[in-house]
Amino acid sequence: MPFDPNFIRRLLPALLEGAEITIELSVLTIAICLVWGLLVALANATRGPLAWLAAAYIQIVRNTPLLIQMYLVYFGLGFAGLPLSGFMCGLLALCLQNGGYVAEIYRGGLQSVSARQYESGRALGMRRWTLYRVVVLPQVIARVIPPLANQGISIIKDTSQVAAIAVMDIMKVAQIWVESSANTYDVFLTVGLIYLSLTTIVSFGARFAERRLAFVA
Amino acid sequence: MRTFAPLIHGYWYLLRGAGMTLLMAGASVVPATLLGMLFALGQIFGGRISRAAIVTYIFVVRGIPLLVLLTFVYYLLPLTGIDLPPFWGVVLVMACYYAAFMAEVFRAGILSLPQAQWDAARGLGMNRRQMLWIVIFPQAFRLAAPPFVNLCANLIKATSLVSVVGLWELTMASREIVERTLAPFQIFIGAAFLYFCMCFALSRYGKYLEGRVLAGH
C-alpha cells in the first residue's frame, strides 16, 4: 500500500539515522574542500612544477567518475594493506573529486578581478594586504559564492554514492528498506524529500551568505 | 609488467564497456537536449502555469541525487508492470534528469543575449518566429555550446552510476574483472583512464569553444 502513514512512522527514524551519516559526510567534505581547493588553486597559480602538478590533479579528478575513485580508494587501499573504513574512503574520494572542482571555482573568481583593480589599489597607496582585503577579496567572494553553493548541493547529492561501498547513509538505508518491505513509493518519496530539504538549506544559506559577505570589506 | 597483466588481459572487455558507456550517454543526451530546450523555451516564453511547472521540476530534479532516481525506477518498473528493457529505463531517467540541467544552460544562453538583438530584430519587422530562428537561436546556441559540452562530459561520468542498479557498462565491466582477478588497483586505474580519455577530450573541446565565444565578443 503506497502512502501508508504507519509505515512512514517506522521508516523515518531509520532514514534519519542514515541522514546523519549523509550530513556528516557532506559537512566534512564541504569544509575540507573549501581549504583543500584553495591550496590547489594557489598551487596552480604559481609558476613551475607545482602548478603543473595541480593542473594535472584538477584534470584527472574532474574527468573521472566519483564512483571509480571511490572503488579505487576502497578496494585499492585495502589491497595495498591500508584498509580504511567505508566512511573514510568515501570521504577521501569525495574530497579528492570536489577539491578539483572547488579549485577551479576559486581560480575563476581570482581571474575575474581585472588587473586594473590591482593597479588602482596600488595607485591609491594600499599595501598588499589592504589591497586584498578591501579590493580583491570582496569581489572574489561575491563571484565565488554562487558556484560554491552549487558545488555544495552537488556534494550532498554525491554523498549518495557511498552506498556503493557499503556505508549506511540515507541511500543505503533506503535500499535495505525497499528490499525488505517492497514499499517503493513511500521509501523513495521520503528519501527524495530529505535530500531536497538538505539541498534547499544549502541554497538558502548561500543566498544569505551572499547578502552578508559580498562587498563587505 | 607482471603487475599489469590483469589489465592487459582485460583491456578488450573494458573497451567494450567503454563502448556501452558511450552508447548509453549518446542515447540519453539526445532526448535530454531536446527536452532541455523545450523547458528553456517554456520557461522564457511560456505562461504562468507552464513556467511554474518547469521551475518546480528543475528545483526538484536538481535537489535529488541521480542515484536515488535510478534506484527508484529500478525498483519501480517491475511493480508497474511496464515492460521496459533496463537500458531504456536508465536512458529515460538520465534524459529526464539531465534535461533540467540542459534547460538551465539553454536558458542562460538565450537570456544572456543583449536586449538590443531583440529590438533590432523587431526593428527589421520580423515576427516572433523569424526573430527566434534567424537572430536569437544561432547566437544563443553558440553561447550555450561550452557549458553544453561540459554537461555532456558530466553525463558520461554519471553513467557509471547505472552499474549500481546492475546494468553493464564500463564500471560494471571493471568490477567484474576485479572480482575475477582480485587486482582492483590496476583495473580501476584502467577504467579511470578510459573515462578520462572520453571526458578530457570533451572538456578540451568545451574550452576551445569557450575561447571562440570569448573571441567573438
Side-chain angles (χ1 to χ4, degrees), chain A residues 26-203:
Chain A
S26 308
V27 170
L28 282 173
T29 306
I30 291 171
I32 294 172
C33 281
L34 282 176
V35 179
W36 172 233
L38 187 63
L39 292 179
V40 174
L42 290 177
N44 198 15
T46 58
R47 295 201 185 87
L50 200 58
W52 194 87
L53 208 66
Y57 164 79
I58 291 173
Q59 291 302 338
I60 289 173
V61 293
R62 277 166 51 110
N63 288 308
T64 51
L66 176 62
L67 192 58
I68 290 280
Q69 290 171 21
M70 262 180 205
Y71 286 150
L72 208 51
V73 173
Y74 187 63
F75 296 111
L77 283 186
F79 264 76
L82 192 74
L84 289 174
S85 69
F87 184 89
M88 288 306 288
C89 290
L91 182 63
L92 192 58
L94 279 165
C95 290
L96 271 179
Q97 165 128 59
N98 287 295
Y101 280 98
V102 172
E104 285 289 277
I105 292 173
Y106 283 135
R107 193 177 63 101
L110 280 170
Q111 276 182 352
S112 70
V113 179
S114 75
R116 263 180 228 157
Q117 299 282 327
Y118 291 88
E119 287 162 12
S120 340
R122 238 168 275 141
L124 286 171
M126 286 182 182
R127 294 220 182 93
R128 196 187 166 104
W129 171 239
T130 319
L131 175 70
Y132 271 93
R133 192 170 55 87
V134 179
V135 180
V136 179
L137 276 183
Q139 296 186 56
V140 171
I141 289 172
R143 271 167 210 158
V144 145
I145 286 177
L148 278 184
N150 274 337
Q151 201 58 38
I153 290 172
S154 163
I155 286 173
I156 293 177
K157 294 195 290 175
D158 279 352
T159 59
S160 64
Q161 295 183 35
V162 297
I165 53 173
V167 179
M168 292 294 279
D169 74 325
I170 311 180
M171 186 66 221
K172 189 73 192 167
V173 174
Q175 271 174 12
I176 291 168
W177 274 73
V178 166
E179 272 164 21
S180 62
S181 73
N183 202 334
T184 316
Y185 293 101
D186 284 355
V187 174
F188 279 98
L189 188 75
T190 321
V191 168
L193 282 178
I194 293 177
Y195 273 115
L196 209 55
S197 35
L198 289 180
T199 47
T200 309
I201 290 171
V202 169
S203 50

Side-chain angles (χ1 to χ4, degrees), chain B residues 70-166:
Chain B
L70 280 172
T71 322
F72 180 49
V73 170
Y74 167 77
Y75 286 114
L76 188 71
L77 275 181
L79 286 184
T80 53
I82 301 170
D83 192 19
L84 195 65
F87 178 87
W88 292 111
V90 159
V91 166
L92 185 76
V93 175
M94 299 273 289
C96 292
Y97 192 78
Y98 273 88
F101 296 87
M102 296 278 183
E104 294 285 278
V105 166
F106 290 123
R107 196 173 70 102
I110 293 173
L111 289 185
S112 61
L113 285 184
Q115 181 66 34
Q117 294 288 334
W118 297 88
D119 296 342
R122 204 168 295 134
L124 288 171
M126 290 182 178
N127 60 31
R128 181 131 130 192
R129 197 155 146 201
Q130 287 172 317
M131 221 151 69
L132 288 179
W133 284 102
I134 299 173
V135 179
I136 303 300
F137 285 166
Q139 299 185 79
F141 286 159
R142 213 162 299 157
L143 283 176
F148 174 78
V149 171
N150 285 331
L151 204 55
C152 290
N154 211 318
L155 194 147
I156 291 182
K157 289 198 301 172
T159 56
S160 67
L161 291 181
V162 308
S163 68
V164 176
V165 293

